[in-house]
Amino acid sequence: MTEPTVAPTGGNPWNIPNLLSVLRLIAVPVFLWAILTHHDVLAVVILVASGLTDWLDGKIARAFNMTSRLGELLDPIADRLYIVTTILGLGIRGVVPWWLVVALLGRDVLLAILMAWARRFGIFGVPVQFVGKMATFALLCAFPVVLLPHAVDATTIWARPLGWALMTWGLGLYWFSAVVYAAEIEQIARANGAEGQEAIDGDD
């Protein structure tokens, strides 16, 4: 599931940031194949490239005013796909425990349920919060570092503790961002409900 967002308007969709997002999406099945077939070096390279292009497309879009509706939709979709496919792949491989897989995917399921409920109040998205971006950044940094010892044995001594520190930080931020989004959705729903009631009272 993508982070709840308000759809932007305008902008030329045919630009470099969107091309980078499309390339990230194309690389998702390649990454999944690599990790499930134990091509761990390739999997790590794809994860690192994904993180770098995620950072780069945002920088380019802001620096050269290349923001667009398509770009604002593609970027979070690519992020969520990488998080879902990576955590599932790591779980299947036994690199991470299944409770972590459930914890990360459960957060997205919870937000999906909240957004479905919010549509009853005319809410189809809320602005992306900084904590949500930081959570995604932490997880996208953690994944390649956690996988690195399986690709290069010599990195185990430092990559394993660093990877799990980033993973713990990312998991905490991921759930904290869910609480922030839930509170914002509830606040907007209350406001919309109050406005609807005032309209009904006014008609009376």
Side-chain angles (χ1 to χ4, degrees), residues 79-136:
D79 288 344
R80 297 282 75 72
L81 277 177
Y82 270 103
I83 288 176
V84 171
T85 55
T86 302
I87 198 63
L88 284 175
L90 293 176
I92 293 170
R93 280 280 306 278
V95 177
V96 300
W98 277 101
W99 67 260
L100 180 61
V101 178
V102 173
L104 286 174
L105 298 185
R107 178 266 195 187
D108 280 350
V109 171
L110 174 63
L111 277 185
I113 294 171
L114 285 174
M115 289 307 300
W117 171 80
R119 288 188 179 93
R120 297 170 53 194
F121 300 91
I123 303 170
F124 294 93
V126 295
V128 174
Q129 298 294 330
F130 177 74
V131 66
K133 293 181 180 180
M134 286 302 299
T136 299

